[in-house]
Amino acid sequence: MACKQETSHKKLMLIDVDCGTDDAQAIMMAIISPNVKILGITCVGGNTQLDNVCKNVLRILKLCDCLEEIPVFRGSPTAILGQNINATDFHGVDGLGDVPDANAPGLEYLQKEHAVDAMIRLVSENPGKISLVATGPLTNLALAVRMDPTFPKKLYSLYIMGGNMESRGNTSACGEFNFLADPEAAYIVLNDYLCTTYIATWEFSCRHKLSWEWYDEWVNMGTKKSDFIKKIYAHSLQYSRSEKEQKALVDGPGFVPCDSFAMAAAIDGDIVTKVIECAVTVELYGKYARGMMVLDLIDDLKKTHKAFVMNGCDMEKFKALLESTIR
């Protein structure tokens, strides 16, 4: 199906990614959604190095026949303090399972404008209308508010995949990858972005995992896109389907498409059936707790702005979105 970006009266969306396998799925979900118009995709170092992130996004856009319609911008290659981590052991060195495509588009397709400049420009041109979906480290978002303190006020809403709600980590004892990759950026965003904010945490994603039986049917539908998903996930599934990894998940085994939860919520708010409304922040210090998201349930932070931490999901609607993505 060709990319259809021309229709008016759609939800306007910016997507900020560190494009690994689950980011790829989330981008494909947004592209196929008839009520969404993607104004741009900004890239940040995270799951893999920044050049790979950019190449991966371009590769997905070509797969979805959107290479000419959706601009892609190169953002920050490192965390604010430059102390980078990556997830190449899980996503593959290139971020997409180390299954290269000789015909994939090159970096010449990137826009010349820096990602942070593009974010500020696009939101200023469409004040109060854009939903920003962030599925990687929050470095670009933190830089945007430092360059333009009015930036968050011009957003319609913000959807984040990252952090945790019960101090369960997937990269350190208490740290979820996206927040641990740049804790200072996550702290800035949760403090300075006062727009409507939804957060899909690690534990939320785990508790709404899909069965492996469903996954096997999903990736074996015989379409170009299902074949692509099956190919890029093959590397990570060596880990995620292993007995050790499945025991480490919250509430038992299954397929956990983390980034797709934040994207699905941005596309259809009815997918979120329950939230915890509270102030949130990020721990910046400590041997074990650096990068951990903190939910202030007793008003200790005295913050007036409360985030919506996702805590319930309409799984039938969520599965329908995932299934539509690979047709």
Side-chain angles (χ1 to χ4, degrees):
M1 180 181 293
C3 184
K4 294 182 178 179
Q5 286 276 301
E6 72 282 356
T7 307
S8 60
H9 308 299
K10 292 187 176 187
K11 292 182 178 181
L12 302 184
M13 185 179 291
L14 273 174
I15 308 173
D16 188 76
V17 299
D18 62 337
C19 198
T21 51
D22 52 345
D23 305 77
Q25 169 58 43
I27 293 169
M28 292 168 67
M29 181 185 287
I31 289 171
I32 203 65
S33 298
N35 65 326
V36 168
K37 178 178 176 65
I38 303 169
L39 297 182
I41 301 177
T42 53
C43 301
V44 65
N47 283 324
T48 182
Q49 64 160 313
L50 184 58
D51 279 355
N52 289 336
V53 173
C54 296
K55 291 175 183 176
N56 293 346
V57 172
L58 295 169
R59 183 176 172 186
I60 294 157
L61 294 186
K62 181 181 178 183
L63 172 75
C64 298
D65 298 321
C66 286
L67 190 58
E68 303 296 334
E69 286 81 7
I70 301 175
V72 181
F73 305 89
R74 194 177 196 275
S76 178
T78 65
I80 286 176
L81 297 185
Q83 299 169 344
N84 279 12
I85 61 174
N86 61 58
T88 56
D89 55 340
F90 184 81
H91 292 279
V93 173
D94 71 356
L96 286 187
D98 294 327
V99 282
D101 177 0
N103 297 313
L107 294 176
E108 66 274 11
Y109 283 91
L110 291 178
Q111 303 297 306
K112 302 301 183 186
E113 187 179 18
H114 190 277
V116 177
D117 293 327
M119 292 166 74
I120 293 170
R121 174 180 59 80
L122 288 165
V123 170
S124 296
E125 292 171 352
N126 301 275
K129 297 180 180 179
I130 292 178
S131 293
L132 174 54
V133 182
T135 62
L138 298 176
T139 315
N140 286 337
L141 280 69
L143 293 173
V145 71
R146 285 296 182 257
M147 290 179 66
D148 179 3
T150 69
F151 176 76
K153 298 176 185 177
K154 299 172 188 174
L155 286 173
Y156 177 71
S157 56
L158 171 63
Y159 294 82
I160 297 170
M161 190 285 129
N164 43 18
M165 55 203 291
E166 297 167 0
S167 75
R168 298 175 186 240
N170 60 12
T171 304
S172 68
C174 296
E176 178 275 332
F177 177 84
N178 284 343
F179 278 27
L180 190 62
D182 197 341
E184 283 70 26
Y187 180 92
I188 290 168
V189 170
L190 295 186
N191 188 66
D192 292 5
Y193 279 62
L194 304 184
C195 55
T196 301
T197 302
Y198 284 83
I199 304 173
T201 65
W202 168 241
E203 295 97 334
F204 168 82
S205 301
C206 288
R207 291 210 168 94
H208 296 87
K209 62 176 69 71
L210 296 140
S211 72
W212 285 118
E213 291 77 15
W214 180 91
Y215 174 85
D216 289 335
E217 290 184 13
W218 181 55
V219 297
N220 286 295
M221 293 186 69
T223 69
K224 180 176 68 171
K225 291 177 182 177
S226 67
D227 290 346
F228 175 76
I229 291 292
K230 183 177 182 180
K231 185 185 300 183
I232 65 171
Y233 269 108
H235 176 87
S236 62
L237 259 59
Q238 298 177 54
Y239 295 89
S240 56
R241 293 187 90 153
S242 70
E243 183 177 356
K244 178 182 177 182
E245 288 296 315
Q246 291 290 289
K247 284 182 178 178
L249 292 178
V250 181
D251 292 349
F255 172 60
V256 186
C258 295
D259 294 337
S260 291
F261 287 105
M263 182 60 73
I267 293 168
D268 181 0
D270 289 340
I271 282 177
V272 182
T273 59
K274 188 177 180 182
V275 298
I276 301 170
E277 185 177 357
C278 65
V280 290
T281 189
V282 178
E283 176 58 50
L284 298 180
Y285 308 101
K287 180 178 179 180
Y288 300 109
R290 176 167 161 79
M292 182 181 75
M293 189 170 82
V294 177
L295 277 63
D296 180 17
L297 301 176
I298 60 171
D299 198 30
D300 184 57
L301 297 173
K302 307 303 179 187
K303 285 187 175 184
T304 56
H305 176 63
K306 314 295 184 184
F308 298 102
V309 181
M310 295 160 58
N311 202 31
C313 179
D314 185 324
M315 291 304 294
E316 292 308 308
K317 287 186 176 180
F318 181 63
K319 285 189 286 187
L321 269 180
L322 287 172
E323 288 163 2
S324 69
T325 301
I326 50 81
R327 288 180 187 144

